[in-house]
Amino acid sequence: MIHQERLWTKSYIMLIVGNLFTFMSFQMLIPTLPPYIKSIGASELEVGLVTALFSIGAVIVRPFIGFMLEYKARRLLVMVGAVALLIVTLFYPLTNIVIVLLALRFVHGVAWGWSTTANGTASVDLIPNSRLGEGTGYFGLSITLGMIVAPSLGLLLFQTTTFTNLIYVSGFLGVIAIILLALVSYQMPESVANTKRTDLSFSYTGSLVEKAAWFPAVLTLLIAFGYGSIVSFIVIFGNERGIDNIFVFYLVNAVFATLSRPITGKWFDRNGPRGIVLVCAVLTFAALWVLSFSHNSFQIGIAGALLGMGYGSILPTLQSWGLSITPPKRRGIANGMSFSAIDLGIGLSGLVFGFLAGYMEIATIFQISSAFIVLAFLLVWWNPHGRKAANAPEKSTVSS
């Protein structure tokens, strides 16, 4: 019988749950900030800047936090990110000046880029190399569930109470996240513990891109670009087709993403990333086309199930792929690059398809966006690597 290294430690569980509350606190604001800032007099351009400035802030900061993760203890970086997110969130109701709110949104993006990179890297340090795909998948589930549950909760609060009360709930979730993250016993690779700031020279480009993991990052960008059409237009699509129960899509998506994650994570650890990425790309492509032809709750439920199994597993798999071929001390940079690819993909998708939506139906937008999933599939199919991911050899860790 082969002995498996232990994955489910107390610290790993606390980090997953703490990250879930971090994502829920933040994701509640995604669908509610645009209508709020519009209600206080923002122009259409300024409403668009709500997303753009956030994405810019997140992408700009990630090379800096990735560099610090090469030599700094994890606890400090994780806690700074969590506290910064809470502080920025609580500032939103204090002003009705649009330009100030846009500045806050940029700072919020900086805090978000910092927090997601630090939390993701801290999780990898707690996961045994032999279970990297499985462990990263479970950690990614906290992200997926947060992104699915929180926007619906945010919209419900926004429609039934005041924006200030919504912020209070978001802040409360952020406080819970801080408490849970503070209870984690963090680890870090020995190579990081033995590295001093003076041993390194900072290069923005070098800390923005991890060359070893460039291919999974490009795939992540393409997949996120294709998925971005759903993020931007699923509610509008439901209104066009007269589908009242659009929450069914999110609910089924969450269920199937949760059920498939253990299977796909173990598949990655045993067989490498190539096969699972190909299968998940096919499922994601199918989800977009089924969604485009949907006219009732049952049909969007099928689309949600396909997307949960496909998109819900492909991003954690691509992240695990990148991490498995990256030296441990550079994993913070690889994590930052992965998250930046997601932010850029979804952000650019909103801009491009938002323009096209003025000239065609949303269903057609979904079909066009599926071409980017096909492109990712073809790149993986032609790629000679990735048949078996080689885990980075070092895993010795010390407390941080």
Side-chain angles (χ1 to χ4, degrees):
M1 180 177 177
I2 300 176
H3 174 71
Q4 277 194 318
E5 295 179 273
R6 187 181 179 192
L7 173 63
W8 293 102
T9 62
K10 176 184 175 181
S11 290
Y12 176 67
I13 295 171
M14 292 293 238
L15 186 59
I16 287 178
V17 181
N19 194 64
L20 172 62
F21 277 94
T22 299
F23 265 78
M24 287 191 65
S25 173
F26 170 78
Q27 292 290 332
M28 288 176 63
L29 304 179
I30 293 295
T32 55
L33 271 174
Y36 172 71
I37 197 172
K38 186 174 179 62
S39 72
I40 61 173
S43 66
E44 296 296 334
L45 174 60
E46 288 168 332
V47 171
L49 286 174
V50 169
T51 300
L53 287 173
F54 167 80
S55 298
I56 292 170
V59 172
I60 285 176
V61 77
R62 283 197 174 109
F64 295 104
I65 181 63
F67 176 72
M68 284 188 279
L69 284 164
E70 291 191 65
Y71 65 92
K72 276 189 175 293
R74 279 39 178 149
R75 177 180 296 277
L76 175 63
L77 298 177
V78 169
M79 297 310 299
V80 166
V83 172
L85 284 173
L86 175 62
I87 292 173
V88 176
T89 299
L90 295 177
F91 263 96
Y92 278 115
L94 301 183
T95 179
N96 287 331
I97 302 174
V98 172
I99 189 67
V100 175
L101 286 171
L102 290 177
L104 273 177
R105 193 59 177 158
F106 174 81
V107 176
H108 207 170
V110 170
W112 182 247
W114 179 297
S115 182
T116 51
T117 305
N119 291 6
T121 304
S123 74
V124 175
D125 293 336
L126 293 172
I127 299 170
N129 262 343
S130 62
R131 304 182 72 176
L132 183 62
E134 182 183 4
T136 304
Y138 282 124
F139 181 80
L141 191 58
S142 67
I143 298 173
T144 303
L145 292 178
M147 292 176 68
I148 291 171
V149 175
S152 299
L153 175 60
L155 282 171
L156 175 64
L157 291 172
F158 185 74
Q159 293 168 351
T160 59
T161 184
T162 65
F163 181 75
T164 300
N165 287 337
L166 184 153
I167 291 297
Y168 288 154
V169 174
S170 174
F172 177 69
L173 296 176
V175 170
I176 296 176
I178 290 173
I179 294 172
L180 291 170
L181 294 173
L183 295 174
V184 174
S185 295
Y186 294 91
Q187 304 291 322
M188 60 181 174
E190 287 187 356
S191 61
V192 175
N194 296 330
T195 300
K196 299 179 180 179
R197 169 65 182 85
T198 53
D199 298 331
L200 303 171
S201 59
F202 177 73
S203 163
Y204 189 84
T205 303
S207 297
L208 180 66
V209 177
E210 170 49 49
K211 294 180 180 179
W214 72 269
F215 186 68
V218 169
L219 297 175
T220 299
L221 178 65
L222 292 171
I223 296 293
F225 192 95
Y227 171 73
S229 63
I230 295 178
V231 174
S232 300
F233 301 111
I234 182 67
V235 175
I236 298 174
F237 174 76
N239 292 335
E240 285 186 354
R241 293 287 174 92
I243 305 173
D244 296 327
N245 301 322
I246 203 69
F247 73 90
V248 171
F249 178 83
Y250 290 105
L251 176 63
V252 177
N253 186 350
V255 170
F256 277 83
T258 303
L259 293 176
S260 63
R261 194 62 58 85
I263 299 172
T264 55
K266 292 178 180 179
W267 183 356
F268 173 92
D269 291 329
R270 293 172 182 169
N271 304 300
R274 187 172 182 269
I276 189 170
V277 170
L278 291 174
V279 170
C280 289
V282 171
L283 291 171
T284 305
F285 173 84
L288 283 162
W289 278 82
V290 170
L291 182 60
S292 72
F293 287 108
S294 295
H295 287 85
N296 55 54
S297 299
F298 177 73
Q299 291 168 341
I300 63 168
I302 295 175
L306 291 169
L307 195 74
M309 292 184 289
Y311 183 81
S313 293
I314 197 168
L315 288 190
T317 299
L318 291 172
Q319 184 184 25
S320 299
W321 186 356
L323 291 171
S324 71
I325 55 180
T326 300
K329 70 176 184 178
R330 296 276 296 179
R331 282 177 170 172
I333 293 172
N335 255 327
M337 185 171 67
S338 177
F339 283 118
S340 291
I342 296 173
D343 287 338
L344 285 174
I346 293 177
L348 291 173
S349 176
L351 290 174
V352 172
F353 292 124
F355 172 77
L356 293 178
Y359 301 93
M360 59 188 67
E361 293 183 346
I362 302 302
T364 306
I365 295 293
F366 292 150
Q367 294 168 1
I368 293 174
S369 67
S370 71
F372 292 88
I373 311 300
V374 173
L375 179 56
F377 177 94
L378 294 175
L379 288 174
V380 176
W381 182 266
W382 290 328
N383 180 43
H385 307 292
R387 298 178 187 276
K388 177 67 177 177
N391 289 329
E394 179 195 355
K395 193 58 187 181
S396 298
T397 58
V398 296
S399 299
S400 67

